[in-house]
Amino acid sequence: MAKIRIVSKPEVCIGCHLCEVWCTVAHSKSKDIIKAFLYEQPRAQPRVVVEEELPETYALQCRHCNEPKCVAACIAGALYKDDDGVVIHDEEKCVACYSCIMACPYGAIRINLETKKPLKCDLCRGLDHPYCVKYCPNNALEIVVEAEEFV
Amino acid sequence: MKYDYVIIGNSAGGIGCVEAIRELDIDSSVLVISAEKYHTYSRALIPYYLDGKIEFEKMYYRPPDFYDRMDVDTKLGVRATRVDVERKRVLLENGEEIEYGKLLIATGGKPFIPPMDGLGGQNNVFTFLKMDDVLGVERGLKDARKVVVLGGGIIGLMASEVLARKGLDVKVVELADRVLAPVVDETTSRIIEKKFQENGVEIILNNTISRVVGEERVEKVILRDGREIDTDMLIVAVGVVPNTEVVKDTPIKVNRGIVVNRKMETSVKDVYACGDCAEIYDFVFGSNRVLPLWPTAYTGGRIAGFNMVGREREYNLATSMNAMHFFDYYIINAGLNVPNDSEEFEVIYRLEGDSYRKFALKDGRIAGFIIAGKMERAGIFLKLMEEGIDVSAFKDKLLKENFGFIDIPEPVRWKLLEDKVKLGVVREL
Ligand SMILES: Cc1cc2nc3c(=O)[nH]c(=O)nc-3n(C[C@H](O)[C@H](O)[C@H](O)COP(=O)(O)OP(=O)(O)OC[C@H]3O[C@@H](n4cnc5c(N)ncnc54)[C@H](O)[C@@H]3O)c2cc1C
Ligand code: SF4
Ligand code: SF4
């Protein structure tokens, strides 16, 4: 099975945080940048983290691990790997216990400030293209297709 | 009946095993046996259900069509009474015998009930471990105003929080001089005790119940120090012990729990064990022990499943780890629970208001940590611990609330981000 991952290129990342902005838009109801930030309640929140210690910056999101520790840790069965190898978080089933936050080796799960539930990258399921990649002005995020190796 | 793979236990461990087997092998026959009659559910969700945070259906760990999709047979509501390792058979309480090719024992834990005079048969005494407990507590709540919880560990405190939120007058009785004593350090215990007190829960330390009064129902408990407390319900949550009854009188080696190696094999060929019934290697502790945790049970089952179908894998990264929360205060801890004045470890910590972070280092490596208050990205610390990274050069940064990979100097950072799971950093070719 081929799988896609988003890779980040620190050498060209300019730390503009636009990936966070567009991730928010991608996960908003309207998919409209103005509405998403000003009028939607609850406001969507980003699932990608920009790490920075200037001048160094890069964006990091869920690696969709082959052996996802978050899935193993989830006490509710709210995290699972779908048939495409994408690790999905079912917000309805989630009880906000943060076992996944404890387990994710990349710190790739963020927390929704309003619902207190975790938020994670779903590779923009249902959209044509992951928005963070599509809208990165300097191509510091890129999609790679890999063969899913078996462990 | 003969099955290639037989699994006793329908919880985290059993399901981890089923999923691993089916990832590699869709043709073999698999049977899951469980004493409880329910579709696989998460006992860790009991507090959430009672609290009204989730519907009953959400207690189920996997979707309703799970067994069909996995093509496994089930015998639910049937207890396995014995394993016959010579004839490779599992004997069931209804007289049936099941022959296995390979067997996983994932029978979990059973509640430990300390001796209390007068206890036995009362209908308002519950543990907090099973679906049937929840349903019982739920029924009992209708006319309960006061409840005594014996045990100030994670489960006892979770029960206490829920019952307090339901408006009951809750008293927790704990033998140690602080709550959560084996799991977290004293600083954290005191923060938690304060949260409970602020929310009207009385915590009685250094004490236990010596006698219960009441025939059909417990009406009163009498503590070791003579104090008497009226109650409408008693919840016993002092801990779980490995449930190893099925392997009694077999050559399968049992210490505190069933002894397994890193492939999750027991001392008898073709028999594996995992989860709360087993004793596995703790990489921080440096020896085998019982680690009654959901992630450990699931991962142990998964590793067992791989080995059962012939794909060798080892479980090398088990250790104590907890994510818990009380009255919206979150705590994550992992590894050794070291006191702040330890001589053997270098302890660094920061306490600011309610935000607490602490690391115990040995030879520059993290041996244990507690993060309480602000939790984001706590998993990075577990990773540092698992990889045995020397953190001396950036140890002060560990105490930052927004610690990230960026705080780890190169090239360790890139090693961590590229290692094992190919990570998103583009390497120079
Ligand atoms: C209230 C509560 C909250 C918890 N919260 C957390 C948490 O937040 N995080 C965490 O890591 N852990 C938590 N735990 C612990 C976690 O639930 C256990 O570690 C986990 O369930 C262990 O899984 P297991 O598969 O080993 O066994 P169990 O879940 O104990 O399941 C044992 C299975 O074996 C079956 N069985 C037992 N004996 C027999 C027999 N003789 N014949 C047939 N079937 C048998 C049972 O019916 C059951 O299906 C919590 C536990 C409780 C009770
Ligand atoms: S959330 Fe973390 S553990 Fe889970 S798949 Fe993504 S990177 Fe892996
Ligand atoms: S916070 Fe939600 S998704 Fe994460 S482990 Fe807990 S229940 Fe699962």
Side-chain angles (χ1 to χ4, degrees), chain B residues 206-225:
Chain B
N206 296 306
N207 221 324
T208 187
I209 298 176
S210 57
R211 192 150 72 85
V212 303
V213 179
E215 292 294 315
E216 216 162 283
R217 302 170 58 76
V218 170
E219 284 152 15
K220 183 157 67 174
V221 300
I222 301 176
L223 304 190
R224 190 170 66 180
D225 66 359

Side-chain angles (χ1 to χ4, degrees), chain A residues 3 5 61-72 79-81 85-88 100-101 103-110 119-121, chain B residues 421 423:
Chain A
K3 69 178 284 179
R5 272 192 229 267
Q61 61 285 83
C62 169
R63 314 321 304 160
H64 300 279
C65 304
N66 286 333
E67 292 274 309
K69 293 200 171 186
C70 60
V71 172
L79 283 160
Y80 61 95
K81 220 174 192 192
V86 181
V87 177
I88 299 293
C100 52
I101 307 265
C104 173
Y106 303 105
I109 302 181
R110 300 194 69 169
L119 291 170
K120 71 174 288 302
C121 161
Chain B
V421 188
L423 234 269

Side-chain angles (χ1 to χ4, degrees), chain A:
Chain A
M1 184 172 37
K3 69 178 284 179
I4 68 169
R5 272 192 229 267
I6 297 173
V7 299
S8 105
K9 298 192 279 186
E11 63 279 19
V12 288
C13 175
I14 52 172
C16 65
H17 292 256
L18 279 174
C19 50
E20 293 184 335
V21 171
W22 285 102
C23 181
T24 306
V25 175
H27 295 93
S28 67
K29 281 187 223 86
S30 61
K31 311 282 184 270
D32 177 293
I33 190 166
I34 305 292
K35 288 188 189 134
F37 280 85
L38 288 182
Y39 306 116
E40 276 188 25
Q41 284 306 329
R43 192 206 273 188
Q45 287 171 39
R47 292 120 195 260
V48 50
V49 189
V50 175
E51 293 210 279
E52 61 189 0
E53 182 79 14
L54 295 171
E56 182 125 42
T57 68
Y58 53 90
L60 195 64
Q61 61 285 83
C62 169
R63 314 321 304 160
H64 300 279
C65 304
N66 286 333
E67 292 274 309
K69 293 200 171 186
C70 60
V71 172
C74 177
I75 61 168
L79 283 160
Y80 61 95
K81 220 174 192 192
D82 76 3
D83 295 337
D84 301 323
V86 181
V87 177
I88 299 293
H89 175 242
D90 177 349
E91 204 169 310
E92 288 281 295
K93 278 216 93 194
C94 174
V95 295
C97 71
Y98 295 1
S99 296
C100 52
I101 307 265
M102 165 185 81
C104 173
Y106 303 105
I109 302 181
R110 300 194 69 169
I111 298 171
N112 183 323
L113 303 169
E114 280 165 49
T115 63
K116 298 280 184 262
K117 287 188 183 180
L119 291 170
K120 71 174 288 302
C121 161
D122 55 1
L123 290 172
C124 288
R125 206 161 72 146
L127 299 174
D128 299 340
H129 213 70
Y131 272 32
C132 57
V133 176
K134 188 171 172 186
Y135 293 106
C136 174
N138 219 26
N139 296 330
L141 287 164
E142 201 170 85
I143 288 175
V144 292
V145 181
E146 286 173 4
E148 177 151 28
E149 59 192 285
F150 207 86
V151 239

